[in-house]
Amino acid sequence: MISGMSAATFAEQLISAERMGKDQLFKTSMTKHQSQLDAYEILESSLKRMTSKLEAINGDAFESKTSSISDESASITVDSDAPAGTYDLYVKQLAQSHQLSKSFASETEVLPTTGVLSIQVGPNAADTIDIDMAVLNADGTRTVADLRDAINNHADNPGVQASLVRTGGQVELMMTSKESGAVNSVDVKMDGVDWGMTERKAAQDAEVTLNGIDITSSSNYLGNVIDGVSIELNQAHAIGESSTIKIESDSSSSEQAVEDFVDSFNELMDQINQLTRSMGSSVVDESNKDKDDDADKDKDDDDEDAPSSITEDQLGVLKGDSSLRMLQNSMRNSVFEAAPNGMRLSDVGIEMTRDGKLSIDEDKLSQALKDDADAIKEMFTASGSYVDRIDTIIDPFTKSSGYLDLKQSNLDKQIDRVEDSMSRHDYQMQQRYQIYLSQFTAMENTINQLNSASALFY
């Protein structure tokens, strides 16, 4: 062509100039809608994280207990419903399993070919097995080791374990009840007569005294001996000795729950500020740094792919959303007011700062928990407590088909509409490109023909 460009290049440049305005408009709309959608997802993630913290506070955060014992005579485990207190434990004796043995020259000593060996565990005659030597040793070659196996493998074994103890010069056939306690004694007879076994350990119950109360148990594990308290006995005390057990409230878990609550509250206030106001990037950097420091702590509470940080491009992207400002103000008002028991957050070292966030005096909080943990628990967990108030405020935003779901759904629809418009625009521009290409190709052919004809005159 005269311009030196091909028809295709000419058509492409015209189309590029013609579509530039709408392409920019579509790009701006898409960027705006996607930024808003990402912002609502970040906000939803933070609200759900705070809800998780509220559930933790309203659960066992103030119920956790710790235990200690003054020596190694027992091991203590406690549940959240264990009453705080101090207990004196005296272990008179441990429970033990009954143990009998009978001496043989060796483990290969051949058994008799007649007689019925009866083994009973406990007082119930039904808990007995009979081993007929005429059956077991029909060929006259069975040994003490075979008897051990016959006892252990018997389908109706009532709860006895047979073993061989080698003493060097002979072997002892040992029979031990599988369960400890006096009730699980072992009785062994041959043809109804005592088989002549030697008692190595008596069947014995555990005997302890707890705060002056006598307790007997067939096991060394005293489950739920006090509400929520279980004791595993390890060794008996010498006469005159005893152990001191202490059950106390675990103030560290309560303190951590309150600190988590404050952290998530402040994170939410930061995010609403950033999303609804135009702020400098330094504020974003500082806020995101704080969240990065806590990332490991909150990792299990977040969805793996959920966004958590606000970028500089997202500042003020939700500026026109008055509902978020209302959410922010409602939350601040809810923690500024007194709890149902008349206490305020300031009573436990939590103050509202000038920027509308919470700060903690950790020493004051720790002391308040030591002084009256029940009162602080009531502040956060009773009906109408701080947890109840904030949960009520957050719920309309995070529930299924709630505010955030509707916002995200509407933005998804707007993005779909923009994508549809972009597709139609692409199709229209492709059609116009073909028209331009045809026109410029025809023009180019005409010019080439004229140039060929004019060459005849030179």
Side-chain angles (χ1 to χ4, degrees):
M1 293 184 70
I2 297 174
S3 65
M5 291 188 293
S6 66
T9 303
F10 220 140
E12 287 173 359
Q13 289 196 355
L14 282 176
I15 289 299
S16 178
E18 187 172 332
R19 69 178 299 163
M20 185 181 300
K22 276 196 172 182
D23 281 351
Q24 185 59 46
L25 180 62
F26 289 143
K27 181 180 179 180
T28 300
S29 296
M30 184 66 78
T31 299
K32 175 185 175 183
H33 296 329
Q34 189 62 55
S35 294
Q36 289 177 334
L37 182 61
D38 290 344
Y40 281 119
E41 288 177 353
I42 291 172
L43 191 59
E44 183 177 31
S45 176
S46 294
L47 286 169
K48 288 182 177 179
R49 191 158 48 246
M50 184 161 197
T51 298
S52 176
K53 295 295 189 299
L54 296 179
E55 289 174 354
I57 292 175
N58 218 6
D60 294 336
F62 288 95
E63 302 292 343
S64 183
K65 298 292 194 305
T66 60
S67 64
S68 63
I69 185 167
S70 58
D71 60 23
E72 298 180 353
S73 62
S75 302
I76 314 298
T77 57
V78 293
D79 296 331
S80 59
D81 59 343
T86 301
Y87 305 90
D88 183 74
L89 174 69
Y90 169 64
V91 183
K92 180 180 180 181
Q93 66 181 34
L94 298 179
Q96 61 186 25
S97 298
H98 197 199
Q99 197 170 75
L100 306 170
S101 74
K102 185 175 179 64
S103 298
F104 292 88
S106 72
E107 61 189 271
T108 58
E109 181 178 332
V110 177
L111 298 172
T113 57
T114 60
V116 177
L117 182 67
S118 300
I119 304 173
Q120 179 177 333
V121 178
N124 191 344
D127 295 326
T128 303
I129 57 172
D130 293 325
I131 298 176
D132 191 343
M133 293 298 174
V135 175
L136 176 65
N137 195 21
D139 60 3
T141 63
R142 299 300 176 180
T143 66
V144 176
D146 293 321
L147 178 58
R148 173 200 60 192
D149 296 339
I151 295 170
N152 291 337
N153 298 330
H154 199 288
D156 298 321
N157 188 310
V160 65
Q161 178 70 43
S163 58
L164 297 179
V165 179
R166 298 161 185 84
T167 64
Q170 59 184 20
V171 67
E172 295 282 331
L173 175 63
M174 188 82 70
M175 294 191 198
T176 307
S177 61
K178 293 182 179 179
E179 300 292 336
S180 60
V183 73
N184 294 307
S185 61
V186 180
D187 184 34
V188 184
K189 290 183 170 63
M190 177 68 80
D191 291 333
V193 179
D194 183 77
W195 200 31
M197 300 192 78
T198 302
E199 185 176 69
R200 301 298 180 180
K201 274 188 179 181
Q204 179 174 289
D205 288 336
E207 294 181 7
V208 304
T209 301
L210 186 66
N211 276 14
I213 301 173
D214 292 331
I215 299 172
T216 301
S217 170
S218 63
S219 167
N220 288 314
Y221 179 74
L222 309 180
N224 210 36
V225 64
I226 305 168
D227 288 339
V229 180
S230 296
I231 302 175
E232 179 76 36
L233 302 177
N234 298 328
Q235 62 187 35
H237 285 110
I239 295 176
E241 294 181 351
S242 65
S243 304
T244 300
I245 298 172
K246 289 185 178 181
I247 311 296
E248 300 173 297
S249 295
D250 185 4
S251 60
S252 63
S253 69
S254 302
E255 192 170 342
Q256 185 61 56
V258 175
E259 289 176 359
D260 287 345
F261 165 76
V262 169
D263 289 343
S264 56
F265 180 93
N266 289 341
E267 177 187 352
L268 193 57
M269 295 301 103
D270 277 337
Q271 288 188 345
I272 294 176
N273 281 337
Q274 294 166 13
L275 294 172
T276 57
R277 296 175 179 171
S278 296
M279 303 170 68
S281 60
S282 61
V283 177
V284 178
D285 292 340
E286 181 180 352
S287 176
N288 288 342
K289 179 181 181 298
D290 291 340
K291 286 195 283 292
D292 289 340
D293 291 340
D294 295 332
D296 291 338
K297 182 172 66 176
D298 293 332
K299 184 176 181 181
D300 294 335
D301 298 328
D302 301 332
D303 294 331
E304 186 175 346
D305 298 325
S308 60
S309 298
I310 295 172
T311 65
E312 189 170 352
D313 292 339
Q314 290 171 325
L315 290 175
V317 73
L318 303 180
K319 183 184 292 187
D321 194 332
S322 59
S323 294
L324 297 185
R325 305 302 300 178
M326 181 181 70
L327 167 66
Q328 187 181 53
N329 290 333
S330 297
M331 290 186 64
R332 285 172 174 164
N333 290 337
S334 71
V335 298
F336 188 75
E337 297 172 357
N341 64 355
M343 294 183 66
R344 295 180 177 273
L345 290 179
S346 57
D347 296 330
V348 297
I350 302 175
E351 300 280 356
M352 180 77 74
T353 61
R354 293 181 62 183
D355 58 358
K357 296 194 293 184
L358 299 177
S359 66
I360 301 178
D361 182 331
E362 294 183 0
D363 291 338
K364 188 172 181 179
L365 173 61
S366 179
Q367 188 60 49
L369 284 167
K370 291 178 182 178
D371 291 343
D372 195 347
D374 288 338
I376 299 175
K377 172 186 173 183
E378 188 176 351
M379 288 176 65
F380 286 95
T381 64
S383 177
S385 66
Y386 289 118
V387 169
D388 274 1
R389 293 174 189 173
I390 293 181
D391 193 47
T392 300
I393 294 169
I394 290 177
D395 184 62
F397 288 82
T398 58
K399 69 181 181 181
S400 178
S401 299
Y403 181 80
L404 292 178
D405 274 358
L406 293 176
K407 280 290 187 180
Q408 292 176 66
S409 177
N410 288 335
L411 285 168
D412 282 332
K413 291 176 182 177
Q414 291 180 51
I415 289 173
D416 288 342
R417 284 196 291 270
V418 173
E419 289 176 341
D420 289 343
S421 297
M422 291 171 67
S423 296
R424 288 195 300 270
H425 183 55
D426 284 340
Y427 177 76
Q428 291 169 357
M429 291 297 98
Q430 184 63 32
Q431 294 299 104
R432 292 187 67 80
Y433 170 78
Q434 294 298 331
I435 293 172
Y436 287 144
L437 181 61
S438 297
Q439 291 174 342
F440 290 132
T441 299
M443 183 187 301
E444 190 173 32
N445 289 336
T446 300
I447 291 173
N448 288 337
Q449 290 172 4
L450 290 174
N451 287 338
S452 296
S454 64
L456 298 174
F457 298 98
Y458 295 99

